[in-house]
Amino acid sequence: SDPTESTHSRGGGMPLFERSIPVSREHVQRLLTEHWGLHLGKCIKDSQNHTFTAYNEPQENDDHTPQYAVRVTPDQGNAQAQRFRDELALIDFVAKSGVGVCEAVPARDGAVVICDTEHNLTVSVFHWARGEAVDFMKLEWLRNPAIIKA
């Protein structure tokens, strides 16, 4: 089976490696302004989820430590929206248990997932993670107690 093949055609959920679908940066900025009052920074990853930086104030350049991470998912018919809400409910539960996680930032209306049905986008905003990036391919995050407890 081809790992890049959409699992929707096989009756599964979200595929592991889905091809990137372009999103309009200008449209993402409009959604971010309208729902969170934030300013979009640079795109730091575009795959099945596009990840952008975001700030409370406009930035002349993106050299500052971001305040937020924005997850934008091309999502035909917003079919994945409930799965995202469930994921964020789990993150909220873990945070309330005292574990340090990057919680979702509610939009002005209190929603943690915004569905743009016109453009088939599902959007969430998270607090920016403190610390260093973890190289998941080295698997150190599975064996190093300092990383596990962080």
Side-chain angles (χ1 to χ4, degrees):
S1 149
D2 179 357
T4 63
E5 178 186 354
S6 173
T7 58
H8 297 289
S9 62
R10 297 190 311 262
M14 193 71 127
L16 180 59
F17 300 107
E18 188 166 312
R19 292 178 185 94
S20 178
I21 298 170
V23 298
S24 163
R25 179 181 171 75
E26 292 76 24
H27 186 68
V28 173
Q29 176 59 71
R30 282 193 299 274
L31 290 171
L32 204 56
T33 299
E34 176 184 345
H35 294 283
W36 284 273
L38 298 175
H39 300 274
L40 194 64
K42 66 182 175 185
C43 181
I44 54 177
K45 179 178 104 52
D46 67 0
S47 61
Q48 70 187 42
N49 294 311
H50 298 258
T51 306
F52 294 87
T53 59
Y55 303 88
N56 287 319
E57 300 294 329
Q59 302 294 310
E60 297 243 350
N61 56 50
D62 218 5
D63 293 340
H64 299 84
T65 300
Q67 295 164 306
Y68 306 98
V70 181
R71 177 176 68 187
V72 180
T73 306
D75 184 16
Q76 186 65 36
N78 300 109
Q80 301 297 323
Q82 187 57 51
R83 185 177 64 80
F84 291 153
R85 285 185 195 96
D86 294 343
E87 172 190 320
L88 297 180
L90 175 63
I91 290 171
D92 183 58
F93 172 79
V94 170
K96 288 178 178 169
S97 298
V99 177
V101 295
C102 294
E103 295 177 82
V105 177
R108 290 175 170 156
D109 68 358
V112 291
V113 175
I114 296 295
C115 296
D116 177 356
T117 55
E118 181 181 348
H119 294 92
N120 292 307
L121 298 176
T122 303
V123 182
S124 295
V125 175
F126 300 85
H127 291 283
W128 190 257
R130 296 184 316 258
E132 300 292 321
V134 175
D135 184 347
F136 287 98
M137 299 309 286
K138 289 186 177 179
L139 300 180
E140 181 182 5
W141 59 275
L142 281 174
R143 298 182 274 255
N144 183 337
I147 294 174
I148 295 167
K149 293 178 184 177

